[in-house]
Amino acid sequence: MFGILRKPALTNLFLMLYLSIFGGAIGLFAKLSFVAFSPLATIFFRILISSLFFILILAWQKRIKSVFKTIFANWKQVLILSFFGVGAAMIVGFVGLRHTSAINYGLIYNLSSIFILIFSLFFLGEKLKKLDIFLIVVAFIGADIIITNGKFYFNVLEAHIFGDLLVLISAIGWALYSVLGAKFSRQNKEFDSLSINLGVFLFSLVVLTPIMFLSPSNGINFPALNLKVILGILGLSILSTAILFFLWLKFVDKEGGIWATLISLSENLTGVLLPIIFLGERLTVPIVAGGILMILAISGKELFGLCYKKDKAIN
């Protein structure tokens, strides 16, 4: 009965829960940070704190020299991933959010999950089963029910077109970062998740630092700083960036794009539930319905996957 709770299964369960919870918590932490940090400052300190966190880990492991050597040896890959992961996914996505509605942003960025699936077929050589397609459609419908509150309303007014296009670019950027990061890691085991993310963040800091300090409107509102804001920026930087990005690339590398698609979609559920719990926002029937669909899709993938492994072992 308890054979299913073997160590690998528990590890996967932890990874899925962490990625879903703290991926969905990005919006909550960002809301807390925006009280005192401008959006650009939030991105800058998010990357800076994450980089320092990685360096402290490497110093404890006595791997700083070897990891930096690996980063420099793979500088071309670092530039490519920086362009997609920070340039497109973070910066372009924020600019797009300022020119479109929150609902449009959620719906369009949600397409990153589908792009992860598509790119994994090409770059990771994955094969898609009919059951996978069905479960992904179920999860996608559940995510859209949550985002639109059950109305499936999509604003295509002309004023939103520019912002919608930028958000679409951002979604594609995150998908490419996820899949290419896994591909590069598979090609060179030394260029692992930690090396990739640290290299990307350090290069991004080189680009963002002069922009940050030469733009007077992109700073910190010091009078607004309080414990809640500090915890927000630390949570965003460490829990929802450094640890999240590290585990995310390892998860995509190990489990592939199909699982990554389902987990990415599940972040929409936690992204709504956390503000309900901590910010007092209202729980609605569509949120419950969409959440049930997404849980069923993920559970179905796990159960059918276990059955497949069991049948394969018997044969």
Side-chain angles (χ1 to χ4, degrees), residues 131-152:
L131 176 63
D132 294 325
I133 297 174
F134 172 75
L135 293 176
I136 289 168
V137 169
V138 170
F140 190 76
I141 292 173
D144 285 350
I145 290 175
I146 292 172
I147 294 169
T148 64
N149 202 27
K151 298 177 182 178
F152 291 97

Side-chain angles (χ1 to χ4, degrees), residues 21-264:
I21 292 171
F22 288 101
I26 291 175
L28 173 65
F29 288 139
K31 285 183 179 181
L32 296 175
S33 303
F34 286 162
V35 172
F37 292 88
S38 69
L40 180 59
T42 300
I43 293 175
F44 175 80
F45 283 102
R46 177 185 183 186
I47 296 174
L48 175 62
I49 295 172
S50 296
S51 300
L52 294 174
F53 179 81
F54 282 142
I55 290 173
L56 286 175
I57 296 296
L58 290 174
W60 177 65
Q61 296 178 337
K62 298 180 180 180
R63 293 178 55 208
I64 291 181
K65 184 176 180 180
S66 62
V67 168
F68 271 80
K69 183 178 179 181
T70 299
I71 291 172
F72 284 114
N74 295 272
W75 65 271
K76 293 181 181 178
Q77 290 90 332
V78 169
L79 291 183
I80 293 171
L81 293 174
S82 299
F83 177 78
F84 290 125
V86 176
M90 288 189 189
I91 298 175
V92 174
F94 164 69
V95 175
L97 180 57
R98 298 185 65 178
H99 295 279
T100 189
S101 66
I103 290 178
N104 281 28
Y105 178 87
L107 277 170
I108 297 171
Y109 199 83
N110 203 36
L111 293 175
S112 65
S113 307
I114 306 302
F115 287 125
I116 289 174
L117 177 63
I118 294 172
F119 293 143
S120 68
L121 300 178
F122 289 98
F123 294 110
L124 301 181
E126 296 194 15
K127 296 180 180 180
L128 196 62
K129 302 181 181 68
K130 292 181 180 179
L131 176 63
D132 294 325
I133 297 174
F134 172 75
L135 293 176
I136 289 168
V137 169
V138 170
F140 190 76
I141 292 173
D144 285 350
I145 290 175
I146 292 172
I147 294 169
T148 64
N149 202 27
K151 298 177 182 178
F152 291 97
Y153 174 74
F154 183 75
N155 194 334
V156 291
L157 295 177
E158 185 176 353
H160 289 275
I161 291 177
F162 175 69
D164 292 344
L165 178 61
L166 292 180
V167 176
L168 180 62
I169 293 172
S170 176
I172 295 173
W174 175 245
L176 284 169
Y177 180 80
S178 303
V179 175
L180 290 178
K183 180 179 177 65
F184 294 153
S185 181
R186 290 180 182 181
Q187 292 174 339
N188 181 0
K189 292 301 180 183
E190 292 185 356
F191 194 44
D192 58 9
S193 180
L194 197 154
S195 301
I196 290 173
N197 284 302
L198 178 58
V200 166
F201 291 163
L202 289 177
F203 176 77
S204 301
L205 282 175
V206 172
V207 176
L208 289 176
T209 298
I211 299 174
M212 172 70 186
F213 290 100
L214 293 177
S215 302
S217 61
N218 293 319
I220 307 172
N221 182 8
F222 287 99
L225 276 176
N226 54 46
L227 180 60
K228 187 180 292 187
V229 173
I230 294 173
L231 291 176
I233 193 68
L234 288 176
L236 177 65
S237 304
I238 297 175
L239 298 176
S240 290
T241 301
I243 298 175
L244 179 77
F245 277 43
F246 171 74
L247 292 177
W248 174 249
L249 286 186
K250 289 183 72 68
F251 183 80
V252 178
D253 182 16
K254 179 183 177 184
E255 300 295 338
I258 297 172
W259 259 119
T261 297
L262 290 171
I263 296 302
S264 182

Side-chain angles (χ1 to χ4, degrees), residues 264-278:
S264 182
L265 287 168
S266 72
E267 292 176 5
N268 293 282
L269 175 60
T270 53
V272 172
L273 289 179
L274 290 175
I276 290 172
I277 296 171
F278 294 103

